[in-house]
Amino acid sequence: MNWNELKFKYTKTNAIIVANYSDGEWSHLQVINDDKITINALSASLNYGLQAFEGLKAYRGYDDKIRLFRPIENASRLRRSAEFLGIPSPPESMFIEACKMAVQENIGYLPPYESGATLYLRPLLIGIGGQIDLVSSNDVLFIVAAIPVSSFAGDKKSSFNKALIARDHDRTAPMGSGAYKIGGNYSPSIVAGQKAKQQGYAALLYLDSQTRNHIDEFSSSNFFGIKGNNYITPDSPNILPSITNNSLMTIAKDMGMTVQKRAVLTEELATFDQMAACGTAIVVLNISEIHDPLTGTVYSSKSEGNSTNKKLHDTLTGIQTGVVYDKNNWCLEL
Ligand SMILES: Cc1ncc(COP(=O)(O)O)c(C=O)c1O
């Protein structure tokens, strides 16, 4: 494979890992050397969007070791999403075993350390039983796929990236499902996200849907801003609790910064020295400008450079690849 040409795009790999939940228990994990599955056309996942998913990566280290980053957090977030939908989710040990198997079965697709690319793991839970009534499904399929990717948005060669505030739709309702990783939160933002990309924006930024005065998050990543020695990130009930953001908050504290997780007014964007999008796929993407199409305001980061964002990015990826000491035991070696 030409690792340097990878994008955040689907590539068929060698195998997916699957397990079935029916009659109240999970089957053994199975390796399927195909990316096709057969499910009932009237399944709740296809008809009512009854599905939850996760995203994590396997990293080839400088020492050639393979590491998963905080997979236990993904297992428990999947459990929270599944509980919200009323469907069963795999126990933590099964989730982790499936992720390990997905890496091992697709080892030829794990990019080398020097490439900066990674193997993205996509755990997925879908309701598969045939039904037309609006009830939770007792028949569930758990899948883990592995896909080689580079980081996901923006121009990798440039630290200049623009984001657009979504003004014609909201990501979730005020008391909605924004804190869960379920497909229904993502499909409504696909067309708007594509349009924003065509207009040269790296990301779409959502405001809180109750007042539209505060920053919530990007369509597939959290927001943070740097002001002086402060790492500031929104606190909102509708944000997906990002494992990357959580890790960066710890790293920022270790760097001697003050971490503030609190409501962030839209106007406060004008005061940040640096701004960023963060998530497993995107890692830390420097955002230089945020455009508000309603008011015409362009919020620019006040500092010319992206030094703090870069330091946070480099420390995080350093931990993930074994270069920086993993003092919190975040990485699970395979
Ligand atoms: C809506 C949303 N916010 C934030 C994130 C970042 O979360 P994490 O850092 O756990 O990947 C993601 C990606 O999973 C996401 O889809």
Side-chain angles (χ1 to χ4, degrees):
M1 290 203 81
N2 189 347
W3 307 112
N4 293 327
E5 291 196 349
L6 286 176
K7 298 197 156 80
F8 194 81
K9 292 253 183 240
Y10 177 63
T11 310
K12 181 180 184 302
T13 53
N14 197 38
I16 59 172
I17 312 302
V18 301
N20 209 60
Y21 185 92
S22 65
D23 295 331
E25 58 181 359
W26 285 102
S27 70
H28 290 299
L29 292 165
Q30 237 189 303
V31 178
I32 299 189
N33 292 109
D34 195 357
D35 57 355
K36 315 253 179 335
I37 52 165
T38 303
I39 62 168
N40 195 305
L42 276 301
S43 65
S45 55
L46 291 179
N47 289 266
Y48 303 129
L50 197 72
Q51 68 88 263
F53 67 104
E54 272 303 322
L56 68 162
K57 286 174 172 172
Y59 305 82
R60 173 80 73 180
Y62 84 101
D63 49 5
D64 223 33
K65 287 184 180 157
I66 303 167
R67 294 172 175 84
L68 297 178
F69 187 68
R70 306 187 76 179
I72 293 167
E73 297 300 320
N74 295 93
S76 51
R77 193 169 63 189
L78 186 64
R79 169 141 302 212
R80 285 201 300 279
S81 300
E83 277 169 4
F84 178 72
L85 298 173
I87 57 175
S89 63
E92 184 184 293
S93 57
M94 184 176 174
F95 179 96
I96 289 176
E97 184 55 25
C99 290
K100 285 182 176 174
M101 285 170 72
V103 176
Q104 275 146 2
E105 294 295 329
N106 295 293
I107 199 76
Y109 291 93
L110 178 69
Y113 168 65
E114 304 76 40
S115 67
T118 51
L119 191 64
Y120 182 78
L121 303 183
R122 168 52 57 86
L124 185 61
L125 263 185
I126 57 175
I128 54 170
Q131 61 181 78
I132 50 167
D133 43 347
L134 201 48
V135 294
S136 289
S137 178
N138 289 322
D139 293 322
V140 166
L141 196 63
F142 171 53
I143 305 169
V144 181
I147 302 129
V149 296
S150 72
S151 61
F152 139 72
D155 179 350
K156 277 189 283 173
K157 292 190 199 79
S158 162
S159 60
F160 182 88
N161 293 293
K162 295 186 298 177
L164 181 68
I165 295 180
R167 281 297 193 179
D168 57 0
H169 69 293
D170 295 312
R171 180 172 174 270
T172 63
M175 288 205 293
S177 55
Y180 305 101
K181 201 160 172 66
I182 58 178
N185 289 339
Y186 294 82
S187 41
S189 67
I190 288 177
V191 169
Q194 282 174 186
K195 275 192 199 150
K197 288 238 160 75
Q198 280 159 9
Q199 292 164 19
Y201 294 102
L204 201 53
L205 182 60
Y206 287 94
L207 305 181
D208 79 288
S209 52
Q210 177 93 51
T211 68
R212 299 203 182 92
N213 285 332
H214 297 86
I215 305 300
D216 256 4
E217 63 171 332
F218 297 101
S219 48
S220 53
S221 51
N222 275 184
F223 169 89
F224 73 83
I226 304 292
K227 202 188 300 189
N229 198 37
N230 297 288
Y231 178 109
I232 301 164
T233 194
D235 192 15
S236 155
N238 286 315
I239 291 178
L240 187 80
S242 155
I243 297 160
T244 312
N245 197 6
N246 177 279
S247 311
L248 291 169
M249 285 190 252
T250 301
I251 293 170
K253 273 187 207 148
D254 288 349
M255 280 163 48
M257 300 181 75
T258 302
V259 170
Q260 297 180 28
K261 192 169 180 222
R262 58 163 171 81
V264 175
L265 279 169
T266 313
E267 295 81 63
E268 196 179 347
L269 291 175
T271 67
F272 289 118
D273 298 323
Q274 292 169 45
M275 301 182 286
C278 66
T280 298
I282 211 167
V283 194
V284 174
L285 187 77
N286 189 60
I287 301 286
S288 311
E289 282 183 7
I290 296 180
H291 295 204
D292 185 342
L294 184 72
T295 59
T297 313
V298 174
Y299 300 100
S300 305
S301 52
K302 293 176 81 186
S303 106
E304 288 286 301
N306 62 338
S307 53
T308 307
N309 286 346
K310 184 160 179 349
K311 205 164 165 193
L312 288 164
H313 172 281
D314 291 352
T315 307
L316 178 67
T317 54
I319 294 169
Q320 290 163 337
T321 52
V323 176
V324 173
Y325 176 55
D326 179 17
K327 67 176 192 176
N328 297 296
N329 262 324
W330 282 335
C331 295
L332 181 77
E333 284 177 21
L334 258 68

